[in-house]
Amino acid sequence: MKIVLAPDSFKESMSASQAVAAMRDGVLSVLPDAECVGVPMADGGEGTVDAVVDALGGELITVEVADPLGRPVHAKYGYIADHKLAVVEMATASGLELVAPADRDVLRASTFGVGQLIISALDHGASELLIGLGGSATNDGGAGMLTALGAELSDADGTPLPPGGAALARLDRIDVSGLDPRLADIRIRIASDVTAPLLGTGGASAVFGPQKGATPADVETLEAGLARLVAVTETALGRARPELPGAGAAGGLGFALLDFLGAECNPGVELIAETVGLEQALAGADWVFTGEGSVDAQTMLGKTPFGVAQAAGRTGTRVVIFAGRVAPDADVLLDNGVDRLVAITARGTPIEQALRDGRIALTRAAAEVSRAISG
C-alpha cells in the first residue's frame, strides 16, 4: 500500500515536516511494509518556506532586514540551489506579528524589508522567486519594497517619500531606472489566496486595513494614497492594473509585484503543490493523509487540506484529513472528495495540552486510520 503524507503545519504544535514524521510513525506501526511518501505542504502562508525547503532539500538563509517600522529584525528565507529558487514569506520581514499591538501603525508600516530579502536572494543567485503574501502589517502598495529594490518615489519637490501608505498621498513621481537590473531576468510567482483588487470596498485598505489597526479615517487616508500610487504608476509605466485579482494582497504589495516586477499570481496551495511535486508523488498512491490544526467549511476556500484533496481527485487517490479540531460544518468536505475527517484531539481537551501533545495524538490517529483501511 502506498500512502502519501502531505499535511500542512499544525500551528503552534508541529511543523509540516514534523507532522509527516508523526503520520509515518503511526502508519508504519500498523503497516510496516507500507510505502510512505512524505510531501510537507503549505498554502503560501506561515510554513511555506519550511515546507518547500524540506521537500526540495534546500537551505534556510537568515538576513537582517527592516521590520514594518524600520527596526532591525532577522528574517529567514529558503534557497534551493539546484533550482536557483528562493522562497520568501513576506511576513518574516513585514508581518503583523513582528509589531506589538500597542506599536502597530499601519499608516507608517513599510514593505522595505521584503525588498531587502529579494536583494539577498538575487545575491545568492536566484533566478526564480516564490513569495507568500500572508500576514502583512503593511498597506503601502509595495512602495517600501520598490524603494529597497532601487526605485525612487518622490513628492512634487523631488523629496523622497517617507515610509508607509499615508505618505503616498504626496507621491508625484516614480523613477524605476534604478531598479536592480537582475530583476529583469527573474521569474516571480506569488502564492496568495487573497484575490482582492487594490482599490474600492473590496480592496486592500477597506477589507484588510482594519485588521491591521486602521480606523475608518485611516482607511480613507490609505485608500487615497493607493489611488495616488495607481495614477503615478500609470505615468511611470504607461499602465496600471489595480483591478487584477491579488493586487490588494498584503496591503497592495501584490500590485507592486504584478505591475512593476511582472509577477504571476497563483492560489497558494496550488503553487506549493506544483513546486514540491505533489501530483507526481500521488501517482499510484492508494491514500493521501493531509491535515492542519483546524478544519471547517472555510477549508474549501484555498486551505491546504482541500488543495491536497483536489489534487488527489485528479489521480484517483483517497483522502483522509486529520486536524486538532474538526468543526461540525467541516462535513461539507465529505461531499467534495474527502473520504474521512479525523479529529486527533478529544473534544474538551485544554488547548495547551492539545498543542503540547499534538505529535503523539497525530501518530495515534494515523495508526488507527491505518488499521481501519488495512482490512
Side-chain angles (χ1 to χ4, degrees):
M1 182 180 292
K2 178 180 177 181
I3 303 176
V4 174
L5 312 174
D8 203 330
S9 62
F10 284 60
K11 193 170 183 180
E12 298 183 64
S13 181
M14 56 191 135
S15 68
S17 292
Q18 289 171 330
V20 166
M23 288 177 169
R24 180 180 283 114
D25 287 346
V27 172
L28 295 180
S29 69
V30 175
L31 302 171
D33 296 326
E35 178 187 358
C36 290
V37 179
V39 185
M41 280 291 298
D43 59 13
E46 182 182 1
T48 293
V49 166
D50 290 335
V52 176
V53 165
D54 288 343
L56 299 184
E59 61 178 318
L60 294 175
I61 296 173
T62 301
V63 59
E64 184 174 281
V65 300
D67 82 352
L69 300 181
R71 305 168 303 189
V73 64
H74 287 94
K76 68 177 181 179
Y77 66 93
Y79 186 65
I80 297 87
D82 290 347
H83 299 258
K84 293 187 176 180
L85 169 66
V87 186
V88 174
E89 293 172 27
M90 74 83 60
T92 64
S94 302
L96 195 61
E97 292 188 0
L98 295 176
V99 186
D103 296 332
R104 289 173 185 170
D105 186 352
V106 68
L107 297 178
R108 193 165 60 89
S110 170
T111 52
F112 190 87
V114 178
Q116 291 176 300
L117 287 177
I118 292 173
I119 291 294
S120 178
L122 293 172
D123 290 344
H124 272 82
S127 61
E128 183 173 351
L129 280 173
L130 191 162
I131 304 179
L133 295 190
S136 75
T138 54
N139 204 102
D140 71 346
M145 176 197 70
L146 292 172
T147 301
L149 294 175
E152 293 184 6
L153 285 75
S154 56
D155 63 18
D157 296 325
T159 304
L161 291 185
L168 291 173
R170 306 200 307 275
L171 179 64
D172 183 71
R173 182 170 180 266
I174 302 175
D175 182 356
V176 297
S177 63
L179 280 175
D180 193 307
R182 295 173 294 180
L183 293 166
D185 300 317
I186 194 167
R187 182 187 187 191
I188 301 176
R189 294 187 293 167
I190 301 169
S192 175
D193 294 325
V194 173
T195 58
L198 182 67
L199 302 173
T201 56
S205 303
V207 175
F208 303 107
Q211 299 174 14
K212 305 168 189 180
T215 66
D218 292 339
V219 169
E220 291 186 12
T221 297
L222 293 167
E223 181 76 358
L226 293 180
R228 183 63 187 160
L229 174 63
V230 170
V232 180
T233 295
E234 192 154 8
T235 300
L237 302 182
R239 60 160 170 75
R241 301 173 295 170
E243 74 286 350
L244 286 181
L253 179 61
F255 171 74
L257 288 166
L258 290 163
D259 266 10
F260 286 87
L261 303 186
E264 311 158 26
C265 192
N266 308 87
V269 67
E270 293 180 15
L271 179 52
I272 305 307
E274 176 189 341
T275 302
V276 303
L278 176 63
E279 288 206 27
Q280 293 91 321
L282 288 170
D286 301 286
W287 290 87
V288 58
F289 289 2
T290 184
E292 61 182 350
S294 180
V295 172
D296 55 28
Q298 300 297 309
T299 297
M300 292 180 62
L301 302 178
K303 297 297 184 181
T304 293
F306 189 62
V308 172
Q310 289 181 303
R314 293 189 287 272
T315 59
T317 308
R318 300 181 72 181
V319 181
V320 181
I321 294 179
F322 297 84
R325 170 186 170 270
V326 177
D329 65 2
D331 284 352
V332 67
L333 292 161
L334 299 174
D335 298 323
N336 288 276
V338 176
D339 292 89
R340 295 169 183 252
L341 292 170
V342 180
I344 68 173
T345 304
R347 186 171 298 175
T349 302
I351 185 64
E352 297 82 3
Q353 179 183 341
L355 296 175
R356 183 183 67 242
D357 298 340
R359 292 184 67 175
I360 296 171
L362 182 56
T363 296
R364 181 173 58 244
E368 291 172 354
V369 169
S370 298
R371 192 171 294 111
I373 66 177
S374 65

